[in-house]
Each structure stands twice: as structure tokens, then as C-alpha cells.
Amino acid sequence: MPKGNGEELFFLIQGISIGLGTAVLATLVSSKKNKVKNNAPLIGLGMMQLYLSIFLPITKLVPKSHPVFDGFYLAQEVNAIYYAFWIWGIYVTWKLFHKTRLRDAVFFSAK
């Protein structure tokens, strides 16, 4: 199968998403002091990253290669919105993850 236009970028986004989602969930599970209700938005964002990068391609709800949407009039625009949402989600997940880690580090070091 020949590579589509931007396939490397798609796999880069997918790899970053898998790594970030795994890091978020592994950090929250390994931390004994964190409560689920305090980190519910972060857990949701981490699960969203894993859903977009692992679940959808494995279940073949979206293809494993680029472009995700194809064969209709506005497919290019829908792909742009899909990838923009995914990249924005990665950014928001990273910022909230970093903020949570800093908050927990300050909280635990004060005791």
C-alpha cells in the first residue's frame, strides 16, 4: 500500500498521543495520594488520547493510515478538523498533566 500524503505526521501524532495517554494514566495509578475526583478531567483527557490513537484504528472505525476520512465532498476539511481537535487535545492534556504534577509536587513537599 503506498503511503498517503502526510502519513508520517499521522504516525507521529499517534505515537505522541499513545505516549502521553499512557504517561498520564501510569502516573495517576502509581501515585497513592491522588484522588480520582481531583484528577477526573486529566483521566478523561488521557483516555481520550488512547481512544483516538489505539481504540479507533484497532476496531477499524478509522483506517490505520492517512487520510482518516475520504470519499466525500468535504473530506479534506473534515480531516483538518479531526487532526486539529486531536492536536489541541494533546496540548490540553500535556498542560493539565504538567499543572497537576506541579501542584502535587508542591503539595507533597509542603508536608
Side-chain angles (χ1 to χ4, degrees), residues 4-17:
N5 189 14
E7 184 123 359
E8 294 84 7
L9 180 61
F10 173 73
F11 289 133
L12 177 68
I13 292 170
Q14 189 174 22
I16 290 170
S17 183

Side-chain angles (χ1 to χ4, degrees), residues 3 7-8 13-14 17 44-45 47 63 70 85 90-92 94:
K3 288 188 177 181
E7 184 123 359
E8 294 84 7
I13 292 170
Q14 189 174 22
S17 183
L45 286 169
M47 293 300 286
D70 195 18
F85 171 71
I90 289 172
Y91 172 76
V92 170
W94 175 254

